[in-house]
Amino acid sequence: AQEEIATALGQVYVGMVVNDKVELQKNDFFDEVDGMRIAAGKAIEAATKERKNGLLGQFIPVKQAVLGVVLVRPTDGIIFTNTTFESDPGPNLHLYASTVADPREGVFPDDTAKDLGMLNFTYGAQTMHFDPSLWNQDFRTLVIYDMKLKRIYGFAQISPQI
């Protein structure tokens, strides 16, 4: 038998030609696929909206090799690094947030800098959590700083996504 798909009044039907007569039957499979497609679209839209609530930056090396992308979601107290993130290892690496655009200009940590916590790994994608009450809306920079060596490894100027 030959199969045909027909659309009548917005409903999807499967038609089979049997003995020169078309028999139409409603096919729930297509409704289910449409439902899954719509749900996936809403999930993608929500994820995009959440991502746009964050601050994005690209790490710049200072005295050590650092590279990769970072996303900060201040209201949730979450910092994400992507799979391209790499940093030279250090004995006590911490992430700081600061209002200073370039921490190389002046003494670091500056008066506005807040320690958001220890860096979990020196490479790859990771998620870090910090206390959202530490966040200041004026923060413009994330700094990887070794507290033991008193050295800036690198920094990322962060800004809202559009």
Side-chain angles (χ1 to χ4, degrees), residues 43-54:
I44 290 169
E45 185 178 309
T48 300
K49 184 178 178 183
E50 282 298 313
R51 190 189 83 229
K52 288 183 178 181
N53 288 335

Side-chain angles (χ1 to χ4, degrees), residues 8-75:
L9 300 175
Q11 297 294 318
V12 177
Y13 292 87
V14 173
M16 299 205 43
V17 178
V18 180
N19 298 329
D20 295 328
K21 182 178 174 191
V22 177
E23 294 180 11
L24 293 178
Q25 226 176 350
K26 186 168 185 321
N27 190 338
D28 294 329
F29 171 77
F30 292 106
D31 290 340
E32 187 176 328
V33 169
D34 270 350
M36 290 168 47
R37 182 187 53 78
I38 291 167
K42 288 180 181 178
I44 290 169
E45 185 178 309
T48 300
K49 184 178 178 183
E50 282 298 313
R51 190 189 83 229
K52 288 183 178 181
N53 288 335
L55 305 168
L56 189 68
Q58 175 81 37
F59 278 108
I60 300 166
V62 175
K63 296 192 179 193
Q64 304 296 137
V66 175
L67 59 96
V69 175
V70 64
L71 175 68
V72 182
R73 294 211 354 230
T75 54

Side-chain angles (χ1 to χ4, degrees), residues 62 98 100-108 110 141-143 152 154-155:
V62 175
S98 174
V100 175
D102 189 340
R104 297 172 291 191
E105 298 173 358
V107 178
F108 193 85
D110 60 89
T141 310
L142 276 187
V143 181
I152 297 172
F155 66 97

